[in-house]
Amino acid sequence: MPIATPESYAEMIDKAKAGTFAFPAINVTSSQTVTAALRGFAEAESDGILQVSVGGGEYASGSTIKDRVAGTVALARYAHEVAKNYGVTVALHTDHCVKENLDSWVRPLLALEAEEVAAGKNPTFQSHMFDGSTVPLEENLVIAEELLALSQQARTILEIEIGVVGGEEDGHEAAINEKLYTTPEDGLATARALGTGEKGRYLTALTFGNVHGVYKPGAVRLRPELLGQIQEAVGAEVGKDKPFDLVFHGGSGSTSEEVGTAVDNGVIKMNIDTDTQYAFTRPVVDHMLKNYDGVLKIDGEVGNKKAYDPRAWGKAAEAGMAARVVEACEWLRSAGKKL
């Protein structure tokens, strides 16, 4: 199947919420990582989400060019073509756009997609994230309301962040403290400003101690039960069960129990980047160390073309990352549940 349509993306989310499972959202930065993620989804027989960060988009345009829109669109167009061969439905998403990057990244993408929709086409991407964690909640929600309206014109879904994710990603860094825990009051303010679907569908990243980066299990204090408390408080006001479609950020080092509790409380999307970066790179290290005299022209020798051909170590990298994607699908219960 091709990349998700607006209708099939909504169906994916509805199915995940009804079936109490979530989709891995895998950050991609190159054609190889796109292929690796697609392979992992196909092997797990799971639908999924490919997402591009601002840094990933810049890198994909060429490390000396750093055109975030061009690189982001290029990855999407590559995915649109190759995803046809993998037998799963995959949505495309842009990840963590902070306020200062809106005008140079997400707003131009939404404008492009609005033009596509006006011409009778489907939008290139299916969702975009506005990360308002760097501004006060009131300002966060004002911007989110504006972007939600633009998303409706582009037939895309908006993702927002209510709370703060600790650690560092794409140059944005947040301290690890009590600000990492969204409150029920924050959830109520969100529902009052954006509605719970009547103004347009959106995904919500509520924070419960999440931290970007590399941490061993137990190093970060996650409280996924907080998600249930917020869903209950907002649900009581609006008359809906689990009114938010939730997103889990900063999950590296999480235990299977923590992930399971988050999914039980309405998480339908979990971002995965750090772990898949390592899974992609680790087999390359193994290849280079085992084939040292083949990948280098030592003492005037010619090396071994079969060893230094990028396809040799690229296949190993792809397989390693794909295996980690399969593991994520199993943890999130999406394996075997493709549309």
Side-chain angles (χ1 to χ4, degrees):
M1 293 178 67
I3 295 296
T5 63
E7 292 80 9
S8 61
Y9 190 31
E11 185 181 356
M12 283 171 59
I13 296 170
D14 289 340
K15 183 177 179 180
K17 197 164 187 179
T20 320
F21 66 90
F23 299 106
I26 309 299
N27 281 67
V28 294
T29 56
S30 65
S31 60
Q32 280 189 304
T33 52
V34 169
T35 303
L38 289 172
R39 173 178 168 179
F41 288 135
E43 290 179 354
E45 296 188 344
S46 168
D47 300 319
I49 299 168
L50 302 180
Q51 58 187 26
V52 185
S53 68
V54 65
E58 289 180 351
Y59 178 78
S61 75
S63 58
T64 61
I65 302 299
K66 295 185 177 181
D67 184 328
R68 56 189 59 171
V69 171
T72 300
V73 171
L75 286 173
R77 289 180 177 163
Y78 177 81
H80 271 271
E81 190 60 36
V82 298
K84 298 173 185 177
N85 300 315
Y86 281 87
V88 291
T89 303
V90 179
L92 300 178
H93 175 81
T94 58
D95 187 31
H96 279 287
C97 182
V98 294
K99 177 185 175 181
E100 53 265 34
N101 291 332
L102 283 171
D103 287 340
S104 63
W105 193 35
V106 163
R107 284 195 176 105
L109 291 171
L110 283 170
L112 170 67
E113 288 155 352
E115 291 176 3
E116 291 172 332
V117 169
K121 302 176 183 178
N122 285 322
T124 296
F125 280 81
Q126 287 67 61
S127 54
H128 299 283
M129 181 194 179
F130 164 53
D131 180 353
S133 65
T134 61
V135 299
L137 179 61
E138 183 177 355
E139 183 181 2
N140 181 353
L141 293 174
V142 167
I143 296 172
E145 191 169 11
E146 175 230 336
L147 293 173
L148 186 60
L150 293 176
S151 296
Q152 291 298 287
Q153 297 173 24
R155 297 189 71 205
T156 61
I157 293 175
L158 178 68
E159 180 183 328
I160 61 171
E161 184 168 310
I162 305 300
V164 178
V165 175
E168 188 274 334
E169 181 170 76
D170 267 349
H172 167 58
E173 188 167 354
I176 301 174
N177 53 38
E178 282 301 310
K179 292 182 179 180
L180 304 187
Y181 302 95
T182 308
T183 66
E185 290 72 25
D186 295 335
L188 288 165
T190 301
R192 290 165 186 162
L194 304 181
T196 55
E198 64 275 14
K199 295 183 179 181
R201 191 166 200 167
Y202 61 94
L203 310 179
T204 311
L206 301 176
T207 59
F208 50 99
N210 319 60
V211 179
H212 289 130
V214 185
Y215 296 88
K216 294 180 179 179
V220 177
R221 183 168 175 257
L222 293 177
R223 291 167 49 199
E225 67 279 359
L226 180 61
L227 300 178
Q229 296 167 15
I230 296 172
Q231 292 271 43
E232 185 175 352
V234 175
E237 179 167 295
V238 302
K240 292 182 180 180
D241 181 45
K242 295 180 182 175
F244 289 132
D245 299 326
L246 297 180
V247 182
F248 186 161
H249 287 219
S252 295
S254 303
T255 66
S256 60
E257 291 78 12
E258 289 167 336
V259 172
T261 300
V263 174
D264 289 340
N265 285 315
V267 164
I268 53 85
K269 171 180 180 279
M270 180 175 176
N271 291 9
I272 301 173
D273 186 18
T274 301
D275 289 353
T276 47
Q277 286 179 347
Y278 182 78
F280 184 85
T281 301
R282 180 63 183 84
V284 180
V285 175
D286 190 56
H287 176 89
M288 296 303 172
L289 292 175
K290 288 181 178 178
N291 296 280
Y292 183 81
D293 56 350
V295 297
L296 292 178
K297 297 181 179 181
I298 301 171
D299 297 331
E301 294 297 324
V302 296
N304 181 349
K305 184 178 183 300
K306 291 183 179 179
Y308 61 72
D309 184 334
R311 289 170 294 184
W313 49 264
K315 289 176 184 177
E318 177 188 323
M321 181 171 165
R324 183 62 184 85
V325 172
V326 171
E327 182 183 353
C329 294
E330 291 170 347
W331 272 40
L332 294 171
R333 311 169 191 161
S334 66
K337 296 177 181 174
K338 65 180 183 178
L339 290 179

